[in-house]
Amino acid sequence: MADAPTSPGQGTPGHDGPELHVALIGYGKGGEVFHAPLVDAVPGLRLSAVVTGSPERRRAAQARYPGVTVYPTADDLWADAGRYEIAVVSTPNDTHAPLARAAMEAGMAVVVDKPFALTSAQARELTELAGELGQVLTVYQNRRWDADFLTLWQLIEEGSLGRVHRFESRFERWRPEPKGTWRESGGVEAGAGLLYDLGPHLIDQAVNLFGPVASVYAEIDSLREGVRADDDVFLALHHARGTRAHLWMSALSAQNGPRFRVLGDEAAFVSHGLDGQEARLAAGERADAPDWGVVPEAEWGLLGADGLTKPVPGERGAYPEFYAGVRDAVGEGEPLPVDLHEVIHGLEVIEAARRSARTGAVVELARY
């Protein structure tokens, strides 16, 4: 297994260091739901600025975060960059790399939403630039702090499953009617489609649990009428250490499979449904609530063999700990909450998956 994500309970309720000012670039769903509330909930961080050209989103940001400065464009933010220590990029996928580069050159530490970049080459260039500038750069891989993933991590660490030989992971939805967004109507060049949207989460979790991927087989389709981007994807990953991971993502799943089905030589673990933190954030709840991330007993996964299974209490989900890690990396020089080499490897897996889908062949990753 890779280095463990920050486990629940390791964050601190208070913070003695300096307050760091955060500028959020983009206030669509990603910015409004996934970034702003988490920044606001972490001691030592202040959401001080938002970049959006939408009058409606400007009003929404100012209503929820009184006193926040709103800039109409990123160029306006760069001109005022000295007021902020951290920039968060939550914009359409094809803008991630150029905005991250500009923010670092303006003197800010940077958090980039997934996908980090559209190619592994772009990602390596950004990583090299961060090193040259001595700047903090990391990627928002929040699903490392999903309750079910943290529960599975703990089970594997404890040896409860024995040697894991197969890992199944799904993000499936039933959306037969397209919404017409850029994620559905755009092409690969825009980073549209499920492989770029959900793939970074599923691949990142698999790599964190089982290490580098040696080979990839992929089936990538656009099934719904009028949709240009991929909306149904299957990946078969063979990890260098031997585990096989099967990953599904679909917008046309009328009955969803298990979120996780993990088979070991001593036991299996099966869980259903998605971590509840996203729904609570979307409902406007504060991420520092006393019961944040608590998993109801009815949603616990099952451990064991058929006929001998038992429910496993879910670890607490912990999205705010990502931003606590960002705070500590920027303010105290602590390690990044998400290391870039794992994210770059995930992009290499996505590139291999596209080659596999085009050719129908298993694609070997060069260094493995």
Side-chain angles (χ1 to χ4, degrees):
M1 292 169 63
D3 293 338
T6 306
S7 61
Q10 290 184 355
T12 56
H15 179 65
D16 296 329
E19 186 173 66
L20 302 175
H21 299 86
V22 179
L24 172 59
I25 306 172
Y27 202 70
K29 178 182 177 180
E32 183 177 14
V33 173
F34 281 109
H35 294 284
L38 298 181
V39 170
D40 188 52
V42 172
L45 296 181
R46 176 180 293 276
L47 181 64
S48 299
V50 168
V51 176
T52 178
S54 164
E56 181 181 356
R57 293 174 180 174
R58 171 177 54 80
R59 289 191 293 270
Q62 290 174 326
R64 184 163 182 183
Y65 306 102
V68 70
T69 299
V70 178
Y71 297 94
T73 71
D75 286 340
D76 294 306
L77 172 63
W78 311 148
D80 214 10
R83 297 175 57 189
Y84 311 102
E85 288 80 29
I86 302 169
V88 177
V89 178
S90 181
T91 53
N93 293 347
D94 58 350
T95 67
H96 286 183
L99 285 172
R101 171 179 289 275
M104 284 192 290
E105 291 174 341
M108 288 182 278
V110 180
V111 173
V112 187
D113 208 339
K114 56 78 196 168
F116 180 28
L118 296 187
T119 68
S120 60
Q122 280 184 334
R124 283 188 286 270
E125 289 172 3
L126 289 174
T127 303
E128 291 171 3
L129 178 63
E132 293 169 3
L133 297 175
Q135 195 56 272
V136 168
L137 173 66
T138 191
V139 183
Y140 182 67
Q141 292 286 355
N142 62 303
R143 297 293 177 177
R144 296 189 186 190
W145 288 269
D146 274 357
D148 50 12
F149 179 72
L150 292 171
T151 303
L152 174 59
W153 184 285
Q154 187 65 30
L155 291 174
I156 293 175
E157 280 279 283
E158 295 170 351
S160 298
L161 302 176
R163 181 182 61 84
V164 174
H165 54 271
R166 189 170 303 279
F167 170 66
E168 298 177 5
S169 176
R170 294 172 173 84
F171 274 179
E172 296 176 323
R173 302 161 172 167
W174 177 235
R175 295 180 179 172
E177 297 299 326
K179 296 183 178 180
T181 65
W182 67 266
R183 293 185 186 277
E184 296 179 325
S185 60
V188 174
E189 70 283 353
L194 291 187
L195 185 57
Y196 274 119
D197 184 27
L198 302 180
H201 289 314
L202 299 186
I203 293 167
D204 184 73
Q205 289 183 335
V207 169
N208 262 252
L209 288 171
F210 306 112
V213 174
S215 66
V216 180
Y217 168 76
E219 299 169 3
I220 302 175
D221 294 298
S222 300
L223 299 179
R224 294 172 296 170
E225 186 175 351
V227 171
R228 179 185 175 199
D230 52 82
D231 58 9
D232 191 83
V233 178
F234 168 72
L235 305 181
L237 313 181
H238 188 196
H239 293 266
R241 299 175 191 170
T243 303
R244 295 188 183 275
H246 285 177
L247 313 179
W248 288 264
M249 53 210 86
S250 179
L252 204 62
S253 176
Q255 294 190 37
N256 297 340
R259 172 67 185 92
F260 289 131
R261 180 172 177 263
V262 190
L263 307 180
D265 59 7
E266 295 184 14
F269 176 72
V270 178
S271 66
H272 292 81
L274 291 176
D275 176 279
Q277 293 176 90
E278 177 178 350
R280 294 185 68 174
L281 289 170
E285 295 189 43
R286 286 194 58 85
D288 53 4
D291 67 341
W292 187 260
V294 172
V295 181
E297 187 172 349
E299 298 175 13
W300 292 356
L302 295 178
L303 172 69
D306 280 346
L308 296 170
T309 59
K310 63 178 181 179
V312 178
E315 297 284 344
R316 291 185 68 159
Y319 288 176
E321 290 195 9
F322 169 81
Y323 271 109
V326 171
R327 175 200 66 200
D328 294 344
V330 175
E332 308 294 337
E334 295 293 328
L336 296 172
V338 173
D339 194 278
L340 295 177
H341 81 272
E342 295 168 345
V343 179
I344 293 171
H345 182 54
L347 288 167
E348 292 172 341
V349 171
I350 287 177
E351 291 167 340
R354 293 209 173 275
R355 291 197 299 272
S356 174
R358 287 195 302 269
T359 63
V362 173
V363 174
E364 305 285 338
L365 273 71
R367 50 182 170 163
Y368 303 109

